[in-house]
Amino acid sequence: MRKIDFGFKNERELFLFLWEDAKDIDERVYCPYTGQDITNYFNTPLFYQCFAHVLPKGKYPYFKLNPKNVKVVHPEFHRIVDRGTSLDRVNHSNWKFNLWDNEVDKMKVFYQLFQKQNLLP
């Protein structure tokens, strides 16, 4: 697979960049899909669960380190969008799954265009 450079050497570097970028004026980080403050997850075992790939990196490898393909989210939201059930979504009806689903649809189109423009398989 051809190496694609989005300016990050690894996921950790990307995640730290996204975390800093997500901070508000009070240095707090909120999940845009749940509205919950996730600041306290920094430097905990769940920190890396605060980053969800819109398009799964296994199926869409060229976007693994694309910052537009990774969102800072609540760990439970991440679990649900990755491997949750429709009941999980119903049980969190106030969370913005429709916004997430729209991001997935847009990112799929963007990925296909990226592949074509860069002559990628």
Side-chain angles (χ1 to χ4, degrees):
M1 184 174 76
R2 199 165 106 196
K3 177 136 171 66
I4 305 298
D5 187 5
F6 286 102
F8 301 96
K9 295 177 190 145
N10 54 50
E11 284 182 308
R12 183 179 193 287
E13 192 176 286
L14 170 61
F15 294 169
L16 290 172
F17 168 81
L18 291 172
W19 187 262
E20 287 301 314
D21 192 53
K23 287 181 179 178
D24 69 8
I25 195 163
D26 297 318
E27 300 287 307
R28 309 299 298 173
V29 176
Y30 292 87
C31 174
Y33 305 97
T34 69
Q36 294 175 297
D37 185 343
I38 58 174
T39 309
N40 292 333
Y41 287 107
F42 188 74
N43 276 339
T44 71
L46 287 177
F47 178 67
Y48 290 100
Q49 295 303 309
C50 291
F51 302 91
H53 284 81
V54 177
L55 300 180
K57 56 191 174 188
K59 192 171 178 184
Y60 301 89
Y62 298 120
F63 275 14
K64 177 180 179 180
L65 297 178
N66 181 342
K68 292 181 174 158
N69 187 49
V70 180
K71 303 297 179 191
V72 181
V73 301
H74 188 280
E76 181 65 4
F77 184 86
H78 185 180
R79 183 195 68 75
I80 292 171
V81 296
D82 272 6
R83 58 191 179 284
T85 65
S86 55
L87 182 58
D88 288 325
R89 286 180 174 227
V90 169
N91 288 337
H92 295 90
S93 59
N94 59 329
W95 290 2
K96 299 174 183 173
F97 292 107
N98 61 334
L99 184 60
W100 177 265
D101 296 338
N102 288 339
E103 287 287 334
V104 171
D105 293 340
K106 286 191 297 188
M107 194 59 63
K108 283 180 181 176
V109 171
F110 185 51
Y111 189 86
Q112 290 172 345
L113 181 62
F114 182 85
Q115 280 181 294
K116 191 174 192 175
Q117 289 175 337
N118 291 281
L119 304 174
L120 300 168

